[in-house]
Amino acid sequence: MTSGSNRIDPDLPFQDGSNSLSTGDNESDSPCIGVCTTLYDEICQGCGRTLNEVSNWVFFSDEEKAAVWKRIRAEGTATRFQRQAKETK
């Protein structure tokens, strides 16, 4: 790693993390927006994933992640999507 650089692996695409919790971030691997709450049920109100999906996300294949993204987008009830709707108005 060169001095002044925050890149760990020069062969990987550069990601500074500045958009990782952005509600409209299509580049993010995870639907997490950093508003994690599961009051009274097994679904995170911030991202719409189940507790199992949240805790095992790093082990999911790309296909499994895509299926979760498809479901939570279709449901559209998570805070992530409510914020997106407000931002596009």
Side-chain angles (χ1 to χ4, degrees), residues 28-55:
S28 179
D29 171 65
S30 170
C32 181
I33 59 167
V35 181
C36 307
T37 180
T38 57
L39 295 175
Y40 312 114
D41 61 22
E42 296 286 315
I43 303 292
C44 176
Q45 295 174 8
C47 69
R49 294 178 293 172
T50 65
L51 293 179
N52 181 58
E53 291 165 344
V54 170
S55 61

Side-chain angles (χ1 to χ4, degrees), residues 67-78:
V68 173
W69 270 105
K70 183 177 180 179
R71 188 195 80 242
I72 65 174
R73 282 186 176 121
E75 292 170 353
T77 57

